[in-house]
Amino acid sequence: MGWNEIDNKLKRRLDSKFVSCDENYELDLIKDVIQEEFPNISPERIEEAISSCCDKVAAPRPRKKFIECLKAILS
């Protein structure tokens, strides 16, 4: 398990190649998937990473690039 598993789960659940930071359900799903894979990371830290990547990755945000951003911050 790990970041590849997170990307695979998001592919199945989001059915999109992009992440929308305007859609709370997408961000909640990303948070839930990361928390499931890495229970040692606090929900607050995950939320901060998601917010940071929403700022750093320009729209339209490719899912893979967004996941790479999260990985860089949370690893």
Side-chain angles (χ1 to χ4, degrees), residues 40-59:
N40 58 317
I41 301 175
S42 73
E44 294 81 15
R45 187 163 172 231
I46 295 170
E47 287 176 17
E48 289 171 6
I50 290 171
S51 178
S52 179
C53 290
C54 282
D55 291 340
K56 289 180 180 180
V57 180

Side-chain angles (χ1 to χ4, degrees), residues 17-66:
K17 293 182 181 185
F18 299 94
V19 172
S20 173
C21 290
D22 297 327
E23 298 291 342
N24 287 332
Y25 77 93
E26 280 192 37
L27 301 180
D28 289 343
L29 176 60
I30 292 168
K31 179 182 167 189
D32 291 345
V33 169
I34 293 171
Q35 190 70 61
E36 182 182 311
E37 290 297 315
F38 299 103
N40 58 317
I41 301 175
S42 73
E44 294 81 15
R45 187 163 172 231
I46 295 170
E47 287 176 17
E48 289 171 6
I50 290 171
S51 178
S52 179
C53 290
C54 282
D55 291 340
K56 289 180 180 180
V57 180
R61 294 170 186 85
R63 188 186 64 252
K64 286 207 177 259
K65 190 169 183 176
F66 193 82

Side-chain angles (χ1 to χ4, degrees), residues 57-74:
V57 180
R61 294 170 186 85
R63 188 186 64 252
K64 286 207 177 259
K65 190 169 183 176
F66 193 82
I67 295 297
E68 288 172 10
C69 177
L70 291 173
K71 182 179 177 182
I73 292 172
L74 295 172

